[in-house]
Amino acid sequence: LKCSHSLHQGGASGGLSGQQMALFQQPTRPNGLVHCEFKAGRMDWDGTKVTADKRKGKVLLYTSEEEQLTHFQWHDREKNEVVTDLIVINDAYFEKIEKVKDGRVYLLRFTSSDKKLFFWMQEPKDDRDVELMKKFNEAVGATIPEKKAGGSSAAPAVPGAGNDPALNAILQQFLQSQGQQGPRADPIPLQAVLTPETLQSLMSDEAAVAEMQSLVPDSHKSSEGVREALGSPQLQQSLRALTQAVHSDQLPVLFASLGLDPAEIASAPPGTDAVEILCRAMEKKMGGGGSA
């Protein structure tokens, strides 16, 4: 953790690669005064729901030496790059979302607009969370709206959320996605759908074989090579990894990478398994009811 210290020019040393430099958290940054810095992930809000960005991130609040302007930045620690860069002028402050008991989720509010940014702490311990939020808020200097007195004890635990139906809906969706609103059915693993028998049956489809041959390494370009690949432990391992991705908060990202319509996720009935949503979206893309 680093708070209220001078920024130094970043740069590679000792011939380390960018990925190795990321491990030491020494990205290139402009000169200035750092007010507060801590590890935190970003949570994307599309106006209706919140999804967690799984990247390792960092929040940085600093005043530029050249501009004398205060910047709020979110860095991707794995790539050593700035993803979000906002100028804050006494108008931003962090609030903890108390309803999320396990995730250490914080909401960055702005007094000058309705903009809201969600973050989840990635610091290994929570003993300095309160101190960090206090340092951040004091450094920005925003006038934080006071909570209304005389409210009911049953009022929402999120400051200000009582008058924000949209935020309440977002929090409800987030809590449900974290399994805090009752038991959820066990996710369907892709191995249960793409069984060895099902995969081997693709060998009777010449078009499918031709497409797979274009995707496998040169050593498996033959029909026998494709058949071997379909029954390999490596494929089963990949299916397990893909299962985790399908059932994670990154499903919209997966949809985008496959050229599928993310609207299929939002329109699915509550409780629908993610694999079913994925299969239906792929069927729709391929013309419906095909061999997708």
Side-chain angles (χ1 to χ4, degrees):
L1 299 176
K2 307 171 186 175
C3 287
S4 299
H5 63 81
S6 294
L7 276 170
H8 300 283
Q9 286 284 5
S13 61
L16 293 177
S17 68
Q19 211 169 23
Q20 289 172 319
M21 290 296 292
L23 296 176
F24 295 97
Q25 299 178 43
Q26 295 175 345
T28 302
R29 298 177 297 184
N31 287 330
L33 176 67
V34 171
H35 302 289
C36 199
E37 177 179 359
F38 54 89
K39 299 173 184 176
R42 188 176 66 174
M43 303 181 71
D44 297 319
W45 174 32
D46 65 3
T48 58
K49 62 182 179 179
V50 175
T51 54
D53 187 325
K54 296 298 185 181
R55 288 178 291 180
K56 295 178 180 178
K58 176 174 62 179
V59 166
L60 180 70
L61 181 72
Y62 80 98
T63 298
S64 168
E65 185 177 277
E66 181 180 354
E67 306 169 328
Q68 289 300 305
L69 294 174
T70 301
H71 290 251
F72 169 88
Q73 292 185 338
W74 185 78
H75 293 237
D76 181 333
R77 289 190 280 129
E78 297 174 331
K79 294 183 178 180
N80 279 342
E81 66 180 18
V82 178
V83 178
T84 302
D85 187 355
L86 302 173
I87 294 176
V88 293
I89 306 176
N90 308 114
D91 65 345
Y93 62 97
F94 268 115
E95 292 179 341
K96 183 176 183 181
I97 299 181
E98 301 291 350
K99 284 188 176 182
V100 183
K101 301 298 183 184
D102 302 323
R104 295 163 64 195
V105 177
Y106 287 83
L107 173 63
L108 183 66
R109 284 182 175 272
F110 294 83
T111 58
S112 59
S113 70
D114 291 331
K115 188 178 184 66
K116 301 178 183 69
L117 299 175
F118 291 82
F119 297 89
W120 56 287
M121 291 294 287
Q122 292 178 334
E123 292 289 346
K125 297 182 179 180
D126 62 1
D127 54 350
R128 295 196 64 197
D129 286 4
V130 173
E131 177 186 349
L132 286 168
M133 295 305 106
K134 182 179 179 182
K135 280 183 176 290
F136 180 96
N137 290 342
E138 289 179 349
V140 175
T143 301
I144 301 176
E146 295 183 4
K147 302 176 187 177
K148 292 185 177 180
S152 167
S153 59
V158 184
N163 296 321
D164 194 336
L167 179 57
N168 275 326
I170 293 166
L171 294 176
Q172 183 74 7
Q173 180 275 333
F174 178 76
L175 292 172
Q176 289 175 345
S177 72
Q178 297 301 302
Q180 298 181 24
Q181 297 294 320
R184 301 177 66 187
D186 292 335
I188 299 175
L190 286 173
Q191 306 93 293
V193 179
L194 300 176
T195 63
E197 294 77 12
T198 300
L199 292 172
Q200 291 297 333
S201 69
L202 293 174
M203 296 303 300
S204 61
D205 187 329
E206 293 184 1
V209 172
E211 184 171 354
M212 288 187 287
Q213 285 175 327
S214 68
L215 300 173
V216 296
D218 291 339
S219 58
H220 288 75
K221 292 292 187 183
S222 65
S223 295
E224 188 57 36
V226 172
R227 186 184 300 277
E228 181 182 340
L230 291 176
S232 67
Q234 290 85 352
L235 179 58
Q236 291 301 310
Q237 183 178 0
S238 296
L239 288 176
R240 285 192 290 270
L242 185 56
T243 295
Q244 293 180 352
V246 169
H247 291 285
S248 74
D249 294 326
Q250 295 300 293
L251 185 59
V253 178
L254 178 63
F255 265 55
S257 66
L258 294 174
L260 302 175
D261 184 3
E264 295 292 328
I265 303 173
S267 62
T272 304
D273 189 90
V275 169
E276 180 181 346
I277 298 174
L278 175 63
C279 290
R280 291 187 182 281
M282 292 183 71
E283 285 182 352
K284 182 174 290 188
K285 180 182 178 181
M286 300 299 176
S291 56

